[in-house]
Each structure stands twice: as structure tokens, then as C-alpha cells.
Amino acid sequence: MRSALIVYGGWDGHDPEECASIYRRWLHEDGYSVRTATETSAFADPSIADLSLIIPIFTMSKIAKEEVENLTKAVRGGVGLAGHHGGMSDAFRESVDYQFMVGGQWVAHPGDIIDYTVDVTKPDDPIMAGIKPSFPYTSEQYYMHVDPMIEVLATTTFSGEHAPWIEGAVVPVVWKHRYGQGRVFHMTLGHRAKEFENPNMATIMRRGLNWAARDE
């Protein structure tokens, strides 16, 4: 049986507890054993190296040196890592080791909650199969600094309405990559837990979890 750990906390504005409940339900339905933790000290437990998947939901906050060292070691060794929005890509801003593993870092969301479009760039990837080539979305449009080695599955284009100097910027929304032997998946959608009700968002995220998880 595949095993997963969800570590949630940090800024409450991203509904970490509610999102953790959604992930836990999905993973149980998909045949995982699941445990949860609400402290970053869970990342320092050597036993995480035996997991199939780790999901961080911990916007901002801090992570201790020994915690990030053990977490990155586990993923390099083959444990999968997956998550969404600021719970993963705006966590632990002071840790460049963590950002290197994730493959990107949030830096801005001009206009805050706005209407924008998500464009699928790899429709043949199994994670994106059947998703419309472009779909509308209402949330924070994340402007990301990203690793050039990520494999981008979907993007968004900034209009420049709220920050004219980035007009036309094409920024990743969904990506996957390798970190050592581990598979890493991230999606920038999902500012609030209610967004998991969007079928495109939910389908992509759930498939991404299962792609990232280490095979038994």
C-alpha cells in the first residue's frame, strides 16, 4: 500500500486544514494509508524516507535546518512531493534548499482575486488528458520565479492591467520535475479550499498527486 504524509499549518488564509481534509479523502479513496501532522518537526522524522508521497500545506512560516535537510534528502531518495498554491510554493521563504526542490517560488499576485485564463501546454501528458486547451479561472494569478528545468504542463499570461511592466508574461501554472530520484508536482491554483470544487483544478491536482507518488 502506498503511504502519504500531509503536513499542514502556517497562514490560515489558505485554508490549510480544509485542504488537508480534501487531500486525505482523495488519498484514502485512491488506496493510500495517510497520516497528518501540524508541525514542521514532522519533516525531521527519518521515517519519512519510507513514504510514497509528502504533501506540504504550510504557507510562509519557517523550517528548521534539520527539518529541510531531512525532507530534501527523502525526496532525493525517491519520495514524491506534491502540493498547490502558496501551501507549497510560498512556504519557508528563507529556505533556498526547499525552493530548489519545489522548482519555483511565488513572488506576486497582481490584482489579487481576478479572472484569468489557464492554457494547457502539454495536452498529451496523462495529467492533462481531457482538460480543455484553455479554461477560465478566478483566483490569485500567481507570478512565479521558476527553475528552467521544470516540465511545464500549463501556463497563464499576464495582461498587464495590474502591473503594466509584466504585460504578456507567460508564467507556469502546473509543472512537474525530478529532484534526485523523487518526482515533484506543483499547481499554483487553489487560493481557498473552495477552489477544489472546480473540476479542472481538482482533476489536475489529483492526477498530479498520483504521478508524484513513489511506486511500491
Side-chain angles (χ1 to χ4, degrees):
M1 176 181 286
R2 291 182 294 180
S3 55
L5 170 66
I6 305 167
V7 183
Y8 67 93
W11 186 56
D12 286 338
H14 282 159
D15 301 335
E17 185 173 2
E18 294 89 337
C19 292
S21 295
I22 294 167
Y23 282 134
R24 185 166 54 241
R25 173 171 56 81
W26 284 356
L27 291 168
H28 279 310
E29 291 172 355
D30 291 345
Y32 292 75
S33 65
V34 184
R35 59 187 177 96
T36 62
T38 57
E39 301 289 341
T40 59
S41 58
F43 294 132
D45 184 347
S47 71
I48 67 171
D50 299 323
L51 293 167
S52 305
L53 179 67
I54 297 171
I55 302 173
I57 314 172
F58 231 102
T59 304
M60 295 182 276
S61 308
K62 295 182 182 295
I63 188 169
K65 180 180 178 182
E66 62 272 16
E67 295 167 357
V68 75
E69 285 179 348
N70 193 60
L71 174 60
T72 54
K73 179 182 177 182
V75 176
R76 285 197 307 273
V79 180
L81 185 80
H84 74 286
H85 202 66
M88 180 165 161
S89 63
D90 188 26
F92 320 128
R93 294 176 181 176
E94 298 175 7
S95 177
V96 293
D97 291 336
Y98 175 82
Q99 294 168 20
F100 185 31
M101 174 179 63
V102 170
Q105 170 63 35
W106 168 86
V107 292
H109 44 68
D112 299 321
I113 304 297
I114 61 173
D115 296 327
Y116 60 96
T117 301
V118 177
D119 300 304
V120 175
T121 57
K122 291 210 168 179
D124 294 333
D125 189 284
I127 294 174
M128 308 307 290
I131 303 295
K132 291 182 178 180
S134 295
F135 59 88
Y137 206 80
T138 302
S139 185
E140 293 175 336
Q141 187 182 28
Y142 261 21
Y143 195 87
M144 306 295 296
H145 286 177
V146 295
D147 186 331
M149 293 302 292
I150 62 173
E151 182 179 354
V152 179
L153 305 184
T155 63
T156 188
T157 302
F158 284 75
S159 68
E161 177 183 355
H162 306 288
W165 57 92
I166 61 168
E167 181 180 358
V170 179
V171 175
V173 171
V174 182
W175 71 75
K176 61 182 183 178
H177 75 114
R178 291 276 184 169
Y179 181 76
Q181 297 301 309
R183 294 191 289 257
V184 177
F185 175 82
H186 184 61
M187 178 178 65
T188 67
L189 308 179
H191 175 62
R192 303 304 297 261
K194 183 172 181 168
E195 292 180 35
F196 282 78
E197 297 173 9
N198 181 293
N200 290 312
M201 183 275 199
T203 297
I204 294 167
M205 191 68 236
R206 192 165 183 171
R207 289 173 176 173
L209 297 177
N210 284 291
W211 173 82
R214 174 164 55 187
D215 297 327
E216 289 300 303

